[in-house]
Amino acid sequence: MKINNILKKYEKGVSFEFFPPKTDKGKKALKKTADVLKTYNPLYVSMTYGAGGATQEKTKEAVNMFRENKDLVVMPHLTCIGVKSSVLENLLNEYKESGIKNIMALRGDPPQDNLTFDFSDQEFSYGKDLVRYIKRHYSDFCVGIAVYPEGHIETASLEQDTDYTKQKVDAGADFAVTQMFFDNDYYYALLDRMKKSDINIPILPGILPLTDVSKVKQFAAICRTTVPPHIEEEMNRYKNNPDDMAKVGIDFTIKQCRDLIKNGAKQLHFFTLNKPSIMTAILEAIR
Ligand code: FAD
């Protein structure tokens, strides 16, 4: 089923994002995670993709593992930077033939060892080019896009960010998932900006459970996500006790979810980090 139709049909629910495991141990663990989280009847699950196709085979394998769980809708992510359309075509044909109905269309990030990467000299320069390509050649796919409550790290202003999001929507995007955020006001402001720009697709809040604040801070810095100083300070009090630090973080995430729900966000998307116990603690608390 297409995710845009699922989001219309079910007023509330959760969705889960996973990354493809690299090892046999990781694969086994993901199967267990899938079994645990399936009991929460997710609206859909999604599987990330390494930029430049780095995890192409592993993403496909993990997508198939989830599809064996027949009643789960699975959405593979796909990135286009530095990729030829012939490569995308093969993969999209495979997905289409196997019955996949949804694709998360992303630009991806340039190779880390090439800081002077020329975005304009590409067959696909931006996420919007991939959205347009999929909609033109595979009109049957429902297409998701990424949006950024605090603005994408490369954009000069929130206005510019909104304009570029609008281009992805005009290219045919059906729904969006946000970058992680820890201050809900950024999400509410994003919704306001989108509404004012006549962007009316569903925008699911992307939630990263907080467990290790220093790791999250490092990642947040490259994603332009603010970690509120009060939670950083509170978690850092437990820096010698990771379990206690995680408890404080999970409590924070539960409060974050409750506030989102109270303010009208009934469909929440979780970046699970493939960790079922953290997810179940949060899901049980917000049931
Ligand atoms: P775009 O929408 O193309 O934006 C990228 C930059 O280009 C922005 O600064 C934007 O403002 C600018 N821009 C856009 N259009 C134009 C234009 N017309 N002219 C000039 N500038 C423009 N990465 C992965 O590699 N694999 C994944 O599986 C993955 N999953 C993700 C899931 C979510 C929910 C999110 C939020 C991100 C994910 N990412 C993933 C990261 C994503 O690939 C990066 O954030 C990437 O830098 C931007 O991708 P995009 O599709 O949003 O890019």
Side-chain angles (χ1 to χ4, degrees), residues 48-49 77 106-109 126-127 148 152 155 164 167-168:
T48 64
Y49 184 85
H77 292 199
L106 301 146
R107 184 196 70 178
D109 287 313
Y126 301 109
Y148 301 86
H152 184 266
T155 32
Y164 293 148
Q167 291 178 6
K168 290 198 270 194

Side-chain angles (χ1 to χ4, degrees), residues 115-280:
L115 296 175
T116 54
F117 193 84
D118 184 359
F119 287 103
S120 61
D121 185 30
Q122 298 289 316
E123 207 177 336
F124 298 91
S125 301
Y126 301 109
K128 74 176 161 71
D129 303 327
L130 181 57
V131 177
R132 189 177 300 119
Y133 178 84
I134 296 174
K135 284 292 177 178
R136 186 174 295 154
H137 300 284
Y138 301 85
S139 57
D140 237 20
F141 279 125
C142 162
V143 175
I145 53 166
V147 291
Y148 301 86
E150 298 180 56
H152 184 266
I153 189 90
E154 293 161 37
T155 32
S157 68
L158 291 176
E159 289 70 31
Q160 197 183 58
D161 206 80
T162 309
D163 287 348
Y164 293 148
T165 299
K166 176 95 172 124
Q167 291 178 6
K168 290 198 270 194
V169 176
D170 291 344
D174 296 291
F175 75 103
V177 180
T178 74
Q179 180 59 280
M180 62 177 177
F181 57 91
F182 301 107
D183 178 343
N184 289 350
D185 284 346
Y186 287 116
Y187 175 68
Y188 304 139
L190 169 84
L191 294 186
D192 280 349
R193 285 198 300 280
M194 297 295 143
K195 208 170 162 193
K196 280 187 192 131
S197 296
D198 213 17
I199 293 171
N200 298 311
I201 56 171
I203 299 175
L204 304 189
I207 298 162
L208 180 74
L210 255 181
T211 49
D212 179 335
V213 78
S214 48
K215 267 197 198 148
V216 166
K217 260 216 102 172
Q218 274 174 16
F219 185 45
I222 53 172
C223 297
R224 195 185 271 169
T225 295
T226 306
V227 178
H230 72 88
I231 184 65
E232 187 185 349
E233 206 177 293
E234 208 178 322
M235 289 180 79
N236 269 332
R237 272 192 225 133
Y238 300 94
K239 62 178 166 218
N240 296 324
N241 189 337
D243 288 346
D244 285 352
M245 180 190 271
K247 264 188 214 148
V248 175
I250 290 169
D251 263 3
F252 172 85
T253 304
I254 291 167
K255 283 189 197 126
Q256 181 185 12
C257 294
R258 287 187 176 143
D259 180 77
L260 286 166
I261 294 166
K262 195 174 89 189
N263 284 286
K266 303 275 191 302
Q267 296 159 329
L268 309 182
H269 182 81
F270 287 96
F271 305 115
T272 68
L273 303 176
N274 295 11
K275 289 184 178 159
S277 59
I278 293 167
M279 283 313 308
T280 48

